[in-house]
Amino acid sequence: MFSPLRFPAYRNLFIAQVGALLGTGMATVALGLLAHDIAGAGAGEILGAVLSIKMIAYIGVAPFASALAARLPRKTLLVSLDVVRAGVAAVLPFVAAAWQVYALMAVLYVASAAFTPAFQSMIPDLLEDEGEYTKALSLSRLAADLESVASPMLAAVLLAVISYNNLFVATAIGFVISAGSVVSARLPKTGAKTPLPFMRRLTGGLRLFALTPRLRGLLAVSLATAAGGAMVFVNTVVLVQSNFALGQQATAWALATFGLGSMTAALSLPRLLERAPDRLAMLLGAGTMTLVLLAGAAWATSYPALLVLWLVMGFGYSLTITPAGRALRRSSNSDDRPALFAAQFALSHACWLVAYPVAGLVSAEADPRAAFLVLAGLCGAGTVLAVMIWPRQDPLNLPHGHPDLPSDHPHLMDADARTGHAHPVVIDEDHPRWPEPEGAAGHKQDAPRR
């Protein structure tokens, strides 16, 4: 589980991730409490709007930032973005109006939209072995889950002695830790010796999503993930402080329980993924979240019941989100990987852009029970779409033919009359479209171009 930490570069990046996550987690708690201070029971609507700004920034910025940053030194880019985020966080405790919070958070979100895909796309280059990469994904998920537990717990303790506005200071400290760890890391050089054309860097990731069946299925799973997560992140404060008449610390503990469930799943995933395909694990998680949302409409009537629901919800959430990096790695080569991670970042957050306003508006205009039901429908729709779109048979080495290539083409040199032509497929010059699976007999179609 912890063997990837033996690699110094990955270890430094992991420390950077942990530092940023701890600070960001406390900022998330502070934002929820700020929204409740402003609007009381209508906090869900305000928080949904704030998080929608985040999603718009992520969707609009990530692909362009990835394309524009391809020629920049990775370390300089990441450290500069961390410095910007730390500066914004340091100013947040001194704001006095909601619009100031919105403006500052928009700047922070734009910097994060550029930082996160660049950060994530480097990990496969650092850890080429799939087993080590899988463990690294679980470690990253575990770090996020520990943040989900540790940050609310620390926030609950700090709220006993300080104002929630001061929690933003911890966010600034977290980004400073992140920048320092990136500075000390020896990062790999960018993959391509000659940078790809700008339009390919900009649109290449979206093209991979459009043409790769498992990636289309991954997008459907992302919709289910967003529906379940939005209910937790937007309406926990409403359920706890308005419906149950409990305090700020109870809100923090509820969010920590969700993180505990997610952490439990992250710890079990490396072994699970040795026996089960990514598709099965992610569909299991999406189905679990759908059932929890349906159950919440009837059973989320007390604080203890909510804690149980959020524990199970966190487990399902981690099952859907953790294996995503494996699917992205399988579906790209090193040159296209930054663009694909940026596209995943933008498209998954487009799903959140749908889910966040739904969670907030339905809760504010009707009640949280209605939000549970509406989001259960959205989560279930994503799950069903994923079942339909993501092929059940998705082998690592896909047997296929190349009827448009001459039989002596270098790409076909490994073809064998008995075993046929089979290898891991990604969309590239030799595979401009996803091939139809074939047995060895199918390779009789291979013929010279006409």
Side-chain angles (χ1 to χ4, degrees), residues 38 63 104 159 193 216-217 287 317 332 349 360 407 415:
I38 295 172
L104 286 169
L159 285 170
K193 295 180 180 179
R216 296 198 295 267
Y317 180 84
S332 61
H349 284 91
S407 59

Side-chain angles (χ1 to χ4, degrees), residues 23-44:
T24 304
M26 281 187 278
T28 300
V29 175
L31 283 172
L33 298 175
L34 174 61
H36 193 267
D37 243 11
I38 295 172

Side-chain angles (χ1 to χ4, degrees), residues 29 47 68 75 98 120 128 205 207 211 222 261-262 265 268 279 303 334 346 364 367-368 414 443:
V29 175
L47 192 56
L68 292 171
K75 184 176 293 188
Q120 292 175 337
E128 297 183 358
R207 180 171 178 268
L211 297 176
S222 296
S262 184
S268 64
R279 176 184 183 273
Y303 187 65
S334 59
D367 55 47
D414 67 341
H443 296 282

Side-chain angles (χ1 to χ4, degrees), residues 80-129:
S80 299
L81 293 170
D82 264 338
V83 170
V84 170
R85 297 194 293 178
V88 170
V91 174
L92 279 169
F94 304 102
V95 302
W99 70 266
Q100 295 171 333
V101 177
Y102 299 155
L104 286 169
M105 292 306 294
V107 174
L108 188 147
Y109 294 149
V110 166
S112 294
F115 181 95
T116 304
F119 181 92
Q120 292 175 337
S121 67
M122 286 192 302
I123 307 302
D125 295 334
L126 292 172
L127 302 171
E128 297 183 358
D129 179 76

Side-chain angles (χ1 to χ4, degrees), residues 73-339:
R74 285 174 164 179
K75 184 176 293 188
T76 302
L77 174 68
L78 296 179
V79 172
S80 299
L81 293 170
D82 264 338
V83 170
V84 170
R85 297 194 293 178
V88 170
V91 174
L92 279 169
F94 304 102
V95 302
W99 70 266
Q100 295 171 333
V101 177
Y102 299 155
L104 286 169
M105 292 306 294
V107 174
L108 188 147
Y109 294 149
V110 166
S112 294
F115 181 95
T116 304
F119 181 92
Q120 292 175 337
S121 67
M122 286 192 302
I123 307 302
D125 295 334
L126 292 172
L127 302 171
E128 297 183 358
D129 179 76
E130 184 171 8
E132 293 296 323
Y133 180 58
T134 300
K135 293 176 182 178
L137 290 175
S138 291
L139 277 176
S140 294
R141 185 69 249 158
L142 181 61
D145 296 333
L146 284 172
E147 171 268 314
S148 298
V149 176
S151 293
M153 289 175 62
L154 182 57
V157 172
L158 292 176
L159 285 170
V161 294
I162 64 173
S163 166
Y164 64 79
N165 278 327
N166 291 321
L167 294 178
F168 290 115
V169 176
T171 301
I173 295 172
F175 290 134
V176 170
I177 293 173
S178 175
S181 298
V182 172
V183 167
S184 62
R186 297 186 62 180
L187 304 181
K189 297 180 180 179
T190 51
K193 295 180 180 179
T194 302
L196 299 173
F198 175 79
M199 287 306 298
R200 178 171 170 181
R201 300 198 307 269
L202 178 62
T203 64
L206 296 176
R207 180 171 178 268
L208 290 177
F209 263 93
L211 297 176
T212 307
R214 80 171 66 91
L215 293 182
R216 296 198 295 267
L218 176 61
L219 181 57
V221 172
S222 296
L223 179 62
T225 303
M231 186 67 203
V232 175
F233 301 138
V234 173
N235 287 316
T236 296
V237 65
V238 177
L239 289 163
V240 173
Q241 294 181 219
S242 294
N243 287 28
F244 306 148
L246 299 175
Q248 296 177 350
Q249 289 177 304
T251 298
W253 287 116
L255 292 171
T257 302
F258 172 80
L260 181 62
S262 184
M263 181 173 63
T264 302
L267 288 170
S268 64
L269 268 170
R271 289 187 178 181
L272 174 62
L273 293 177
E274 289 178 359
R275 299 171 174 81
D278 300 341
R279 176 184 183 273
L280 179 60
M282 298 178 82
L283 290 177
L284 178 61
T288 298
M289 287 194 295
T290 302
L291 293 176
V292 170
L293 288 168
L294 289 171
W299 295 340
T301 55
S302 67
Y303 187 65
L306 182 68
L307 294 181
V308 173
L309 290 169
W310 270 198
L311 183 69
V312 181
M313 179 77 85
F315 190 90
Y317 180 84
S318 186
L319 286 181
T320 64
I321 203 169
T322 305
R326 287 165 52 100
L328 295 172
R329 178 177 177 166
R330 284 185 62 192
S331 305
S332 61
N333 55 44
S334 59
D335 291 348
D336 287 323
R337 196 164 290 142

